[in-house]
Amino acid sequence: TKGNSFISFTGGEVLMNEKTLELISYATQLGIDTLLNSNAYLINEDMAKRLHESGLKKINLSLDSLNENKHDFIRGTPGSYARVMNAIQYLDKQAINLGIHINTVIMESNLDDIIPLTLWALQDSRLSSIHFQAVSQPFADIPNDRWYEREEADLLWPKDIKKAEYVLDELVKLKGVYGERINNSAWYSSKARVVIDSMRKCKKNCACVVSCSYDEQEKYIS
């Protein structure tokens, strides 16, 4: 139904595909809202204007730390942090009515940076919200239920569980104050407790649906 449909464009970096803006424009013409996930590397002033003209409704920009060197290290690309910050400026200026959102992966490498980053995002009037993802096994790896125990995961999997719990508790508190500006659901119902308990007992490596590395016929949570 028009007005109720939503399409998410994600990758990889989808702006590398020259057809992306054309697809967004087509979806907009059909009355479908669109979301674009981007690392912001290709967003200059001209691209920001083109995104506005396409009718894009919402954009998620990946940012893992306010520490420039740390973000660049996590992303593996020098200059990545500066590109994100410049993209926010360009989009705020050129893409009127576009919701600009920050997407952050919580991991060992940035655990100390999560709360400062959150407060910055919540207080910046250019941004609509911040969303968090839990670190998971890299998509390119061979599936391994205990991937986090391997040496290669040292920079990804939190070592200090107490610190991780503290950070999550602080985010829950901020969620109580800022509501949807922290764009993660908070489950408190009795049904949620049953699902969470099932998740804790599950021994499988939980993969994001977007990774397409799951069996649609298998029932993960009863």
Side-chain angles (χ1 to χ4, degrees):
T1 304
K2 289 188 176 182
N4 294 326
S5 300
F6 205 98
I7 294 179
S8 176
F9 293 85
T10 189
E13 176 50 51
V14 289
L15 288 178
M16 292 180 67
N17 189 323
E18 60 183 20
K19 296 293 185 181
T20 296
L21 293 180
E22 182 181 334
L23 290 171
I24 292 173
S25 295
Y26 181 65
T28 300
Q29 293 170 20
L30 295 177
I32 301 173
D33 289 340
T34 51
L35 161 67
L36 177 72
N37 293 293
S38 175
N39 60 23
Y41 202 82
L42 297 176
I43 300 177
N44 53 24
E45 192 165 8
D46 179 65
M47 178 61 76
K49 183 178 180 181
R50 293 172 65 196
L51 286 169
H52 167 63
E53 293 172 346
S54 74
L56 183 67
K57 189 78 171 180
K58 176 179 176 180
I59 189 167
N60 288 340
L61 302 178
S62 298
L63 182 63
D64 295 314
S65 175
L66 289 179
N67 181 312
E68 182 172 359
N69 291 331
K70 187 176 291 188
H71 174 82
D72 287 359
F73 172 76
I74 291 172
R75 290 286 154 178
T77 306
S80 178
Y81 176 88
R83 297 274 183 153
V84 176
M85 292 303 171
N86 289 337
I88 293 172
Q89 283 286 83
Y90 294 138
L91 291 167
D92 182 61
K93 178 182 177 181
Q94 298 289 340
I96 303 169
N97 298 324
L98 172 66
I100 307 172
H101 305 257
I102 297 298
N103 190 68
T104 302
V105 179
I106 300 176
M107 66 186 89
E108 170 66 21
S109 298
N110 69 351
L111 202 54
D112 292 325
D113 304 284
I114 294 298
I115 300 305
L117 174 60
T118 304
L119 292 172
W120 167 78
L122 292 173
Q123 293 164 10
D124 193 317
S125 61
R126 300 171 300 175
L127 304 175
S128 298
S129 74
I130 183 169
H131 178 83
F132 297 98
Q133 290 178 267
V135 66
S136 60
Q137 183 178 5
F139 296 159
D141 282 3
I142 297 173
N144 181 347
D145 288 345
R146 306 191 73 82
W147 68 272
Y148 50 86
E149 295 179 348
R150 299 169 62 184
E151 184 178 349
E152 300 93 307
D154 282 351
L155 295 174
L156 299 176
W157 194 259
K159 300 178 181 65
D160 189 338
I161 300 303
K162 291 295 183 182
K163 181 192 290 188
E165 289 177 343
Y166 168 78
V167 169
L168 294 176
D169 286 343
E170 290 301 301
L171 290 178
V172 170
K173 291 177 185 177
L174 289 171
K175 171 78 172 178
V177 176
Y178 290 92
E180 291 305 311
R181 294 211 61 192
I182 294 182
N183 192 22
N184 291 81
S185 300
W187 288 358
Y188 297 109
S189 67
S190 57
K191 182 178 180 180
R193 285 194 292 271
V194 173
V195 174
I196 291 170
D197 185 56
S198 297
M199 292 167 64
R200 285 173 175 162
K201 292 176 181 178
C202 180
K203 301 301 180 183
K204 292 184 177 292
N205 177 43
C206 296
C208 299
V209 173
V210 71
S211 74
C212 300
S213 59
Y214 69 101
D215 183 354
E216 290 184 341
Q217 304 304 316
E218 187 165 359
K219 196 171 185 180
Y220 283 83
I221 299 176
S222 59

